[in-house]
Amino acid sequence: MCACRCGIRVHLRDGKPSYIEGNPEHPLNKGVICAKGASGLMKQNSPARLTRPLRRKAGAERGAGEFEPISWDEAFAMLEQRLARIRGTDPKKFALFTGRDQMQALTGLFARQFGTPNYAAHGGFCSVNMAAGMIYTIGGSFWEFGGPDLERAKLFVMLGTAEDHHSNPLKIAISKFKRDGGRFVSINPVRTGYSAIADEWIPIRPGTDGALLLALNQEIVAQGLFDREFVARYTNGGQLVITDAASPRHGLLATDEDADPVNPLYPQNQLWWDRHSNRAVATHTPGADPRLFGDYTLPDGTRVQPAFQLLAERLRAHTPEWAQEITGVPAATIRRLAHEMGITARDEKIELPIAWTDCWGNEHQTVTGNPVAFHAMRGLAAHSNGFHTVRSLGILMSLLGTIDRPGGFRHKPPFPRAIPPSAKTPTGPEGVQPDTPLAGLALGWPGSPEDLFVDDEGGPVRIDKGFSWEYPLSVHGLMHNVITNAWRGDPYRLDTLMIFMANMAWNSTMNTDQVRKMLNDRGADGEYRIPFLVVCDAFQSETVAFADLVLPDTTYLERHDVMSMLDRPISEFDGPVDSVRVPVVPPTGECKPFQEVLIELASRLKLPAFVNTNGARKYRDYPDFIVRHETEPGSGIGFLAGWRGADGSKSLLGEPNPDQWQRYAENNCVFKHELPPSYRYMRNWNRGYMEWAQRHRLRRWGDPILVHLYSEVLQKFRLAAQDKWPGRRPPAHLAKRVETHFDPLPFYSQPLEVQATDTQRYPLAAITQRPMAMYHSWDSQNAWLRQIHTHNYLFVNPRTAAAAGVADGAWMWVESPWGRVRCMSRHSEAVEPGTVWTWNAIGKSPGAWGLAPDANEFTRGFILNHVISDTLPGGTSNSDPVTGQAGWYDVRVRISPA
Ligand code: SF4
């Protein structure tokens, strides 16, 4: 029902769902179910369900919600004609943006085959900084792709995590961790949800976690509490960086040009300064041990320093006292926490009797663990300084020696991946051609300026300006820029925008009011500036009212779905896991799964991957597609990894199996592959795992993945900004921005919006999170869950409220430079005094969600997005300059009685 993807069992009475329970045999939730999961029946019966395709009535205004039913045949014919014209002329005029839909491998394939670069899911609005900051540092990230090993951790530190993100698996793990005597520290401006059961709550000012993490790193290094052996062997801390400012390779890693780079895309010929022989040697030379500190000269006269030395120098000024001023966390607390992390990692080491071999051929008899684990999410990410904050966290985890080790952070297959992963977008406008699939992926992982998706002048090719010099590493796209850019015609206008399961006219946008006006705005020719808007959803969200064409989706109980290794599987630390949904009831009314809509449209448009060589339709329907589609003809890789091969005897790789759905249904809808113990740890550098992963095509290469304490990738962009890179350069107006933010070492700067705000007038930070019972905002109209909350409050520390004269429970204004909204106050000690917060997406717009006109959601609820802006003074997007992450937790406000 949500992206946690717990297993459930649905009981039917008279053919209708009558009871939902957690599936005790499901590996993810082991029978545990949350309030939302248990309330799925009311989702099924929601009065907000869309049940027929609808067309906006002739003459009706967008937003008025005046529709007439049409048949699916008419809807498909309309779309086929329109999309065929766009594809045949300029495919980028069609954009497809989706919410947290769990089927991005299919939506992405559709977009690529259509030929449009304008595709992304909600990641740029959600937590791309968490994904990118971690993956560009350690080759993996949290949630689906890795997480804290609370089975063995002794100390668990959670930062910037909403009430229960992610849900049941982490609840189970934290519960056991605490019973086993583990210590749980939560760092968060707000103490609710998981933070409420933490042993220690460390309140922090929003957007300042980067400063705290730099100070923690500084303390760990200054006290000598880092894991020297881990840093030396498994990170690039010992690699030599060219420090001659005049060198065209300034800031890049020194290499032995005579040595075999092994993999030119990820060269393996860097150098260490060996402390035994006191000279430069190839990294991981047998018997060598790198200096981590110092200043050296190579035989050709090149000045170099170990990357760790540069990191230590960077950290030096970031003392606890420095961080205290920024974060509000006392310096003594920072020192104590760093010390606790350091000695727990050092003195409570775990040795598991598991033999393994590293990528350099060294045999180890045990796996070592340093039992300090972390979990972090959007609270760190949704700031315009979030990328470097998250990098600082990845570095802290690495200094403590906790990467893919017992009791620390552990990857989940298909991670770890190369830094950066090898998937790439096209690199210029020529990658977009009529009637042709896109010449690359719509979303990729740039490794240098040459990988950007820009035109000859350095301008963007994507409508959201993703992968341009404005947001070079926007690996999840910038959903929050789409409507504004299309409305402005900057960089160009769209013809058709298709939105799936994303409430972009309400809570899935930063500037709700403006977006609603833009969707309704017409040009001088009298036509809408965004000419055709298709909304596909199961529910009548606020965005539906603006659609020209509405396509009714099914609920999760009415369709097939896959949680695929090609997308976001439910893998565990010990091996790959994928899962499926099978429908328990037929679709309501004329609802059609969006997957079926895409298969139908792709077949009609004759997108190559969906038709045979003679142009005939290839797949009967979505279940047929899932079984028979292979990433390349004969690759043996499809959406599902289990029970492959003609007789279902193969796994991960194998020919399509016509009975695959049946086999999943017989096995709790889950396929699980357990790795042998020797492949379960140290996977960045584990030869056995790497060979296995290559054989099963989870990895293209078997090279070790060293942690990037120092990011050479970022330095390449910085060199381009400094006019020193032999290839592409940023446009002049962006050079300074790129030079500043593409620092190879983490740094702290105030979020861009805070820098541009008069914080005397607007002194408070305002943030949101979801309530536990509404884990995702999509489908949040649910009769049972409405009994828990039909409206939200603004939570204010009593001291702050008293100073503003706002009584508990009273009506109040919350006002930012961008606007104000009336809301109800709730005094709460569980929020630090400089922050106010509320739940997201409880407040709704009148007329939406099938609610009565006097529903509390309208009369008492509110959404904070009314006072947030997607644009900073001067017109630039309010996004992280590295990744394009929406900085929607950066707004500053003031409060007053209403
Ligand atoms: S966390 Fe999500 S998937 Fe799990 S039971 Fe709750 S709603 Fe369902």
Side-chain angles (χ1 to χ4, degrees), residues 314 383-389 391 469-473 711 713-715 717-718 721-722 734-753 755 872 879-884:
R314 167 59 55 87
H383 303 281
S384 58
N385 62 2
F387 176 80
H388 281 280
T389 299
R391 255 195 44 81
W469 287 101
E470 277 185 60
Y471 323 100
L473 307 186
S711 176
V713 174
L714 298 184
Q715 178 64 12
F717 287 87
R718 174 177 263 192
Q722 293 170 337
L734 292 171
K736 189 71 200 157
R737 171 176 157 122
V738 173
E739 182 182 16
T740 302
H741 292 278
F742 279 74
D743 191 319
L745 293 163
F747 70 103
Y748 174 77
S749 59
Q750 277 191 325
L752 299 177
E753 180 167 4
Q755 292 179 32
L872 295 168
S879 304
D880 189 306
V882 181
T883 61

Short mmCIF file of all heavy atoms in Angstrom, two decimals, residues 314 383-389 391 469-473 711 713-715 717-718 721-722 734-753 755 872 879-884:
data_model
loop_
_atom_site.label_atom_id
_atom_site.label_comp_id
_atom_site.label_asym_id
_atom_site.label_seq_id
_atom_site.Cartn_x
_atom_site.Cartn_y
_atom_site.Cartn_z
N ARG A 314 40.62 20.35 6.03
CA ARG A 314 39.29 20.95 5.87
C ARG A 314 38.51 20.94 7.18
O ARG A 314 37.82 21.90 7.54
CB ARG A 314 38.51 20.19 4.79
CG ARG A 314 37.02 20.48 4.71
CD ARG A 314 36.71 21.95 4.45
NE ARG A 314 37.36 22.45 3.28
CZ ARG A 314 36.86 22.38 2.04
NH1 ARG A 314 35.68 21.83 1.86
NH2 ARG A 314 37.52 22.86 1.02
N HIS A 383 17.18 20.26 1.83
CA HIS A 383 17.76 21.59 1.99
C HIS A 383 18.69 21.84 0.79
O HIS A 383 19.28 20.89 0.27
CB HIS A 383 18.58 21.69 3.28
CG HIS A 383 17.79 21.36 4.50
ND1 HIS A 383 16.93 22.24 5.09
CD2 HIS A 383 17.73 20.23 5.25
CE1 HIS A 383 16.37 21.69 6.16
NE2 HIS A 383 16.84 20.46 6.27
N SER A 384 18.86 23.09 0.46
CA SER A 384 19.72 23.38 -0.70
C SER A 384 21.20 23.19 -0.36
O SER A 384 22.05 23.36 -1.24
CB SER A 384 19.45 24.79 -1.21
OG SER A 384 19.69 25.73 -0.19
N ASN A 385 21.51 22.83 0.89
CA ASN A 385 22.89 22.46 1.23
C ASN A 385 22.99 20.96 1.55
O ASN A 385 23.97 20.51 2.14
CB ASN A 385 23.42 23.29 2.41
CG ASN A 385 22.61 23.04 3.69
OD1 ASN A 385 21.69 22.24 3.69
ND2 ASN A 385 22.96 23.73 4.76
N GLY A 386 21.95 20.23 1.18
CA GLY A 386 21.82 18.86 1.67
C GLY A 386 22.84 17.88 1.10
O GLY A 386 23.19 16.91 1.77
N PHE A 387 23.29 18.11 -0.14
CA PHE A 387 24.22 17.14 -0.72
C PHE A 387 25.48 17.03 0.12
O PHE A 387 25.93 15.93 0.45
CB PHE A 387 24.57 17.55 -2.16
CG PHE A 387 25.59 16.65 -2.80
CD1 PHE A 387 25.22 15.42 -3.33
CD2 PHE A 387 26.93 17.03 -2.87
CE1 PHE A 387 26.17 14.57 -3.91
CE2 PHE A 387 27.88 16.20 -3.46
CZ PHE A 387 27.49 14.97 -3.98
N HIS A 388 26.04 18.16 0.49
CA HIS A 388 27.29 18.10 1.27
C HIS A 388 27.02 17.64 2.70
O HIS A 388 27.91 17.05 3.32
CB HIS A 388 28.01 19.44 1.23
CG HIS A 388 28.77 19.62 -0.07
ND1 HIS A 388 30.00 19.05 -0.29
CD2 HIS A 388 28.44 20.27 -1.21
CE1 HIS A 388 30.41 19.34 -1.51
NE2 HIS A 388 29.49 20.08 -2.09
N THR A 389 25.82 17.89 3.21
CA THR A 389 25.47 17.34 4.53
C THR A 389 25.52 15.82 4.48
O THR A 389 26.10 15.17 5.35
CB THR A 389 24.05 17.80 4.93
OG1 THR A 389 24.03 19.21 4.99
CG2 THR A 389 23.62 17.21 6.25
N ARG A 391 27.01 13.95 2.29
CA ARG A 391 28.40 13.48 2.10
C ARG A 391 29.15 13.45 3.44
O ARG A 391 29.90 12.52 3.71
CB ARG A 391 29.14 14.37 1.10
CG ARG A 391 29.26 13.66 -0.22
CD ARG A 391 30.19 14.14 -1.24
NE ARG A 391 31.55 14.57 -0.96
CZ ARG A 391 32.60 13.75 -0.80
NH1 ARG A 391 32.46 12.45 -0.86
NH2 ARG A 391 33.79 14.25 -0.58
N TRP A 469 24.29 22.52 -16.16
CA TRP A 469 25.25 23.13 -15.24
C TRP A 469 24.58 23.70 -14.01
O TRP A 469 25.22 23.95 -13.00
CB TRP A 469 26.07 24.20 -15.95
CG TRP A 469 27.07 23.62 -16.90
CD1 TRP A 469 26.94 23.53 -18.26
CD2 TRP A 469 28.33 23.03 -16.57
NE1 TRP A 469 28.05 22.91 -18.79
CE2 TRP A 469 28.92 22.60 -17.78
CE3 TRP A 469 29.02 22.82 -15.37
CZ2 TRP A 469 30.17 21.98 -17.83
CZ3 TRP A 469 30.26 22.21 -15.41
CH2 TRP A 469 30.82 21.80 -16.62
N GLU A 470 23.26 23.93 -14.10
CA GLU A 470 22.57 24.43 -12.90
C GLU A 470 22.46 23.36 -11.84
O GLU A 470 22.54 23.65 -10.64
CB GLU A 470 21.18 24.95 -13.27
CG GLU A 470 21.22 26.37 -13.79
CD GLU A 470 19.85 26.94 -14.05
OE1 GLU A 470 19.04 27.03 -13.11
OE2 GLU A 470 19.59 27.31 -15.21
N TYR A 471 22.24 22.10 -12.26
CA TYR A 471 22.09 20.97 -11.31
C TYR A 471 22.77 19.76 -11.91
O TYR A 471 22.11 18.82 -12.37
CB TYR A 471 20.61 20.65 -11.05
CG TYR A 471 19.74 21.88 -11.01
CD1 TYR A 471 18.99 22.25 -12.12
CD2 TYR A 471 19.71 22.67 -9.87
CE1 TYR A 471 18.20 23.39 -12.10
CE2 TYR A 471 18.92 23.81 -9.84
CZ TYR A 471 18.19 24.17 -10.96
OH TYR A 471 17.42 25.30 -10.94
N PRO A 472 24.08 19.74 -11.94
CA PRO A 472 24.77 18.69 -12.71
C PRO A 472 24.45 17.26 -12.27
O PRO A 472 24.34 16.37 -13.09
CB PRO A 472 26.24 19.03 -12.51
CG PRO A 472 26.25 20.52 -12.29
CD PRO A 472 25.02 20.78 -11.48
N LEU A 473 24.30 17.05 -10.97
CA LEU A 473 24.11 15.68 -10.49
C LEU A 473 22.66 15.43 -10.09
O LEU A 473 22.38 14.79 -9.07
CB LEU A 473 25.05 15.39 -9.31
CG LEU A 473 26.54 15.69 -9.52
CD1 LEU A 473 27.35 15.20 -8.31
CD2 LEU A 473 27.07 15.06 -10.80
N SER A 711 36.22 13.60 -3.25
CA SER A 711 35.47 13.33 -4.47
C SER A 711 36.17 13.91 -5.69
O SER A 711 36.09 15.11 -5.97
CB SER A 711 34.05 13.89 -4.39
OG SER A 711 33.40 13.68 -5.62
N VAL A 713 35.24 13.21 -8.60
CA VAL A 713 34.15 13.55 -9.53
C VAL A 713 33.80 15.03 -9.38
O VAL A 713 33.68 15.77 -10.37
CB VAL A 713 32.92 12.67 -9.25
CG1 VAL A 713 31.73 13.13 -10.10
CG2 VAL A 713 33.24 11.20 -9.52
N LEU A 714 33.62 15.47 -8.14
CA LEU A 714 33.26 16.88 -7.92
C LEU A 714 34.39 17.80 -8.40
O LEU A 714 34.15 18.87 -8.98
CB LEU A 714 32.96 17.14 -6.45
CG LEU A 714 31.77 16.37 -5.84
CD1 LEU A 714 31.55 16.82 -4.40
CD2 LEU A 714 30.50 16.56 -6.64
N GLN A 715 35.63 17.38 -8.16
CA GLN A 715 36.76 18.22 -8.55
C GLN A 715 36.80 18.43 -10.07
O GLN A 715 37.19 19.50 -10.54
CB GLN A 715 38.07 17.59 -8.05
CG GLN A 715 39.32 18.35 -8.43
CD GLN A 715 39.43 19.75 -7.82
OE1 GLN A 715 38.66 20.09 -6.92
NE2 GLN A 715 40.35 20.56 -8.32
N PHE A 717 34.29 18.83 -12.05
CA PHE A 717 33.37 19.93 -12.37
C PHE A 717 33.96 21.26 -11.91
O PHE A 717 33.82 22.29 -12.59
CB PHE A 717 32.01 19.68 -11.69
CG PHE A 717 31.22 18.59 -12.36
CD1 PHE A 717 31.38 17.27 -12.00
CD2 PHE A 717 30.31 18.90 -13.35
CE1 PHE A 717 30.66 16.26 -12.62
CE2 PHE A 717 29.58 17.89 -13.99
CZ PHE A 717 29.76 16.57 -13.61
N ARG A 718 34.63 21.23 -10.77
CA ARG A 718 35.23 22.47 -10.27
C ARG A 718 36.31 22.95 -11.23
O ARG A 718 36.40 24.15 -11.54
CB ARG A 718 35.81 22.24 -8.88
CG ARG A 718 36.57 23.44 -8.35
CD ARG A 718 37.06 23.22 -6.96
NE ARG A 718 36.13 23.84 -6.02
CZ ARG A 718 36.40 24.02 -4.74
NH1 ARG A 718 37.53 23.62 -4.23
NH2 ARG A 718 35.54 24.60 -3.95
N ALA A 721 34.81 24.73 -14.01
CA ALA A 721 34.38 26.07 -13.62
C ALA A 721 35.56 27.03 -13.53
O ALA A 721 35.42 28.24 -13.69
CB ALA A 721 33.63 26.01 -12.30
N GLN A 722 36.75 26.45 -13.25
CA GLN A 722 37.95 27.28 -13.14
C GLN A 722 38.69 27.40 -14.47
O GLN A 722 39.82 27.87 -14.52
CB GLN A 722 38.88 26.67 -12.08
CG GLN A 722 38.32 26.74 -10.67
CD GLN A 722 39.13 25.93 -9.67
OE1 GLN A 722 39.84 24.99 -10.06
NE2 GLN A 722 39.04 26.27 -8.41
N LEU A 734 27.29 30.71 -14.53
CA LEU A 734 27.18 29.61 -13.56
C LEU A 734 28.53 29.15 -13.02
O LEU A 734 28.60 28.28 -12.15
CB LEU A 734 26.46 28.42 -14.19
CG LEU A 734 24.98 28.66 -14.50
CD1 LEU A 734 24.41 27.52 -15.33
CD2 LEU A 734 24.19 28.80 -13.20
N ALA A 735 29.62 29.73 -13.54
CA ALA A 735 30.95 29.23 -13.18
C ALA A 735 31.20 29.34 -11.67
O ALA A 735 31.68 28.40 -11.03
CB ALA A 735 32.02 29.99 -13.96
N LYS A 736 30.87 30.48 -11.10
CA LYS A 736 31.14 30.67 -9.67
C LYS A 736 30.35 29.68 -8.82
O LYS A 736 30.84 29.10 -7.85
CB LYS A 736 30.78 32.11 -9.28
CG LYS A 736 31.22 32.49 -7.90
CD LYS A 736 32.74 32.64 -7.82
CE LYS A 736 33.20 32.54 -6.38
NZ LYS A 736 34.61 32.14 -6.26
N ARG A 737 29.09 29.51 -9.21
CA ARG A 737 28.21 28.59 -8.47
C ARG A 737 28.77 27.15 -8.51
O ARG A 737 28.84 26.47 -7.51
CB ARG A 737 26.83 28.66 -9.12
CG ARG A 737 25.83 27.64 -8.66
CD ARG A 737 24.50 27.96 -9.36
NE ARG A 737 23.63 26.82 -9.44
CZ ARG A 737 22.40 26.79 -8.94
NH1 ARG A 737 21.92 27.84 -8.32
NH2 ARG A 737 21.63 25.73 -9.08
N VAL A 738 29.21 26.73 -9.70
CA VAL A 738 29.76 25.38 -9.82
C VAL A 738 31.07 25.27 -9.03
O VAL A 738 31.30 24.30 -8.30
CB VAL A 738 29.98 25.02 -11.30
CG1 VAL A 738 30.71 23.68 -11.43
CG2 VAL A 738 28.64 24.96 -12.04
N GLU A 739 31.90 26.28 -9.14
CA GLU A 739 33.18 26.23 -8.42
C GLU A 739 32.94 26.13 -6.91
O GLU A 739 33.62 25.37 -6.20
CB GLU A 739 34.01 27.48 -8.73
CG GLU A 739 35.36 27.44 -8.04
CD GLU A 739 36.19 28.69 -8.27
OE1 GLU A 739 35.63 29.71 -8.70
OE2 GLU A 739 37.40 28.63 -8.03
N THR A 740 31.96 26.86 -6.41
CA THR A 740 31.70 26.85 -4.97
C THR A 740 31.15 25.51 -4.51
O THR A 740 31.62 24.94 -3.52
CB THR A 740 30.67 27.95 -4.62
OG1 THR A 740 31.20 29.20 -5.05
CG2 THR A 740 30.38 27.99 -3.13
N HIS A 741 30.17 25.00 -5.21
CA HIS A 741 29.43 23.85 -4.69
C HIS A 741 30.05 22.51 -5.10
O HIS A 741 29.72 21.49 -4.51
CB HIS A 741 27.97 23.95 -5.10
CG HIS A 741 27.27 25.08 -4.42
ND1 HIS A 741 26.78 24.99 -3.15
CD2 HIS A 741 27.05 26.38 -4.82
CE1 HIS A 741 26.26 26.15 -2.79
NE2 HIS A 741 26.41 27.01 -3.77
N PHE A 742 30.91 22.51 -6.09
CA PHE A 742 31.58 21.25 -6.46
C PHE A 742 32.95 21.18 -5.78
O PHE A 742 33.99 21.08 -6.42
CB PHE A 742 31.63 21.10 -7.99
CG PHE A 742 30.33 20.59 -8.51
CD1 PHE A 742 29.23 21.43 -8.57
CD2 PHE A 742 30.17 19.27 -8.86
CE1 PHE A 742 27.99 20.96 -8.98
CE2 PHE A 742 28.94 18.79 -9.28
CZ PHE A 742 27.85 19.64 -9.34
N ASP A 743 32.87 21.24 -4.49
CA ASP A 743 34.06 21.13 -3.66
C ASP A 743 34.31 19.65 -3.42
O ASP A 743 33.40 18.93 -3.01
CB ASP A 743 33.80 21.87 -2.33
CG ASP A 743 35.07 22.05 -1.51
OD1 ASP A 743 35.88 21.11 -1.46
OD2 ASP A 743 35.22 23.13 -0.90
N PRO A 744 35.53 19.17 -3.67
CA PRO A 744 35.77 17.73 -3.49
C PRO A 744 35.69 17.29 -2.04
O PRO A 744 35.62 16.09 -1.76
CB PRO A 744 37.19 17.55 -4.05
CG PRO A 744 37.83 18.91 -3.96
CD PRO A 744 36.71 19.88 -4.16
N LEU A 745 35.71 18.26 -1.13
CA LEU A 745 35.58 17.95 0.30
C LEU A 745 34.29 18.59 0.81
O LEU A 745 33.88 19.65 0.32
CB LEU A 745 36.78 18.49 1.08
CG LEU A 745 38.10 17.79 0.73
CD1 LEU A 745 39.28 18.62 1.20
CD2 LEU A 745 38.14 16.40 1.35
N PRO A 746 33.66 17.98 1.80
CA PRO A 746 32.38 18.53 2.27
C PRO A 746 32.57 19.87 2.95
O PRO A 746 33.61 20.12 3.57
CB PRO A 746 31.89 17.47 3.25
CG PRO A 746 33.12 16.78 3.72
CD PRO A 746 34.08 16.81 2.57
N PHE A 747 31.59 20.73 2.82
CA PHE A 747 31.66 22.02 3.49
C PHE A 747 30.26 22.39 3.93
O PHE A 747 29.27 21.81 3.47
CB PHE A 747 32.25 23.10 2.56
CG PHE A 747 31.34 23.50 1.43
CD1 PHE A 747 30.62 24.70 1.47
CD2 PHE A 747 31.19 22.69 0.32
CE1 PHE A 747 29.78 25.07 0.43
CE2 PHE A 747 30.34 23.04 -0.73
CZ PHE A 747 29.65 24.23 -0.68
N TYR A 748 30.18 23.37 4.82
CA TYR A 748 28.87 23.83 5.27
C TYR A 748 28.64 25.25 4.79
O TYR A 748 29.52 26.11 4.91
CB TYR A 748 28.75 23.80 6.80
CG TYR A 748 27.46 24.43 7.26
CD1 TYR A 748 26.26 23.74 7.15
CD2 TYR A 748 27.42 25.75 7.72
CE1 TYR A 748 25.06 24.32 7.50
CE2 TYR A 748 26.22 26.34 8.07
CZ TYR A 748 25.04 25.63 7.96
OH TYR A 748 23.84 26.21 8.29
N SER A 749 27.48 25.48 4.22
CA SER A 749 27.04 26.86 3.98
C SER A 749 25.56 26.90 4.30
O SER A 749 24.87 25.88 4.22
CB SER A 749 27.27 27.27 2.53
OG SER A 749 26.57 26.41 1.66
N GLN A 750 25.08 28.05 4.66
CA GLN A 750 23.65 28.17 4.95
C GLN A 750 22.85 27.82 3.71
O GLN A 750 23.29 28.11 2.57
CB GLN A 750 23.33 29.62 5.32
CG GLN A 750 23.59 29.97 6.76
CD GLN A 750 22.99 31.32 7.09
OE1 GLN A 750 22.96 32.23 6.26
NE2 GLN A 750 22.50 31.47 8.30
N PRO A 751 21.66 27.25 3.87
CA PRO A 751 20.81 27.02 2.71
C PRO A 751 20.58 28.32 1.94
O PRO A 751 20.55 29.41 2.53
CB PRO A 751 19.51 26.50 3.32
CG PRO A 751 19.91 25.90 4.63
CD PRO A 751 21.06 26.74 5.12
N LEU A 752 20.43 28.20 0.62
CA LEU A 752 20.34 29.40 -0.23
C LEU A 752 19.20 30.31 0.20
O LEU A 752 19.33 31.53 0.23
CB LEU A 752 20.15 28.98 -1.69
CG LEU A 752 21.27 28.14 -2.30
CD1 LEU A 752 20.91 27.74 -3.72
CD2 LEU A 752 22.59 28.91 -2.27
N GLU A 753 18.07 29.72 0.55
CA GLU A 753 16.93 30.56 0.92
C GLU A 753 17.20 31.31 2.22
O GLU A 753 16.82 32.47 2.37
CB GLU A 753 15.65 29.74 1.05
CG GLU A 753 14.47 30.63 1.44
CD GLU A 753 13.12 29.99 1.30
OE1 GLU A 753 13.05 28.80 0.96
OE2 GLU A 753 12.13 30.71 1.54
N GLN A 755 20.07 32.29 3.26
CA GLN A 755 20.98 33.39 2.93
C GLN A 755 20.22 34.59 2.38
O GLN A 755 20.62 35.74 2.56
CB GLN A 755 22.01 32.93 1.88
CG GLN A 755 22.99 31.90 2.39
CD GLN A 755 23.96 31.48 1.29
OE1 GLN A 755 24.31 32.26 0.42
NE2 GLN A 755 24.38 30.22 1.34
N LEU A 872 13.94 31.42 -5.81
CA LEU A 872 14.61 32.33 -4.89
C LEU A 872 14.59 33.75 -5.45
O LEU A 872 14.40 33.93 -6.66
CB LEU A 872 16.07 31.88 -4.71
CG LEU A 872 16.26 30.52 -4.05
CD1 LEU A 872 17.71 30.07 -4.19
CD2 LEU A 872 15.86 30.59 -2.58
N SER A 879 16.74 25.17 -5.12
CA SER A 879 17.17 23.78 -5.19
C SER A 879 18.66 23.69 -4.90
O SER A 879 19.40 24.66 -5.08
CB SER A 879 16.91 23.22 -6.59
OG SER A 879 15.56 23.36 -6.95
N ASP A 880 19.08 22.50 -4.50
CA ASP A 880 20.50 22.28 -4.24
C ASP A 880 21.29 22.43 -5.54
O ASP A 880 20.97 21.80 -6.54
CB ASP A 880 20.69 20.86 -3.67
CG ASP A 880 22.10 20.63 -3.16
OD1 ASP A 880 23.05 20.84 -3.92
OD2 ASP A 880 22.25 20.23 -1.99
N PRO A 881 22.34 23.26 -5.53
CA PRO A 881 23.09 23.51 -6.78
C PRO A 881 23.85 22.28 -7.28
O PRO A 881 24.34 22.29 -8.40
CB PRO A 881 24.07 24.61 -6.41
CG PRO A 881 23.56 25.20 -5.14
CD PRO A 881 22.82 24.11 -4.44
N VAL A 882 23.95 21.24 -6.47
CA VAL A 882 24.63 20.03 -6.94
C VAL A 882 23.63 19.07 -7.56
O VAL A 882 23.80 18.60 -8.69
CB VAL A 882 25.39 19.34 -5.79
CG1 VAL A 882 26.09 18.09 -6.30
CG2 VAL A 882 26.38 20.29 -5.15
N THR A 883 22.55 18.79 -6.83
CA THR A 883 21.63 17.73 -7.24
C THR A 883 20.26 18.22 -7.69
O THR A 883 19.47 17.42 -8.19
CB THR A 883 21.35 16.79 -6.05
OG1 THR A 883 20.75 17.59 -5.02
CG2 THR A 883 22.63 16.16 -5.54
N GLY A 884 19.95 19.48 -7.47
CA GLY A 884 18.61 19.97 -7.79
C GLY A 884 17.56 19.60 -6.76
O GLY A 884 16.38 19.86 -6.96
#
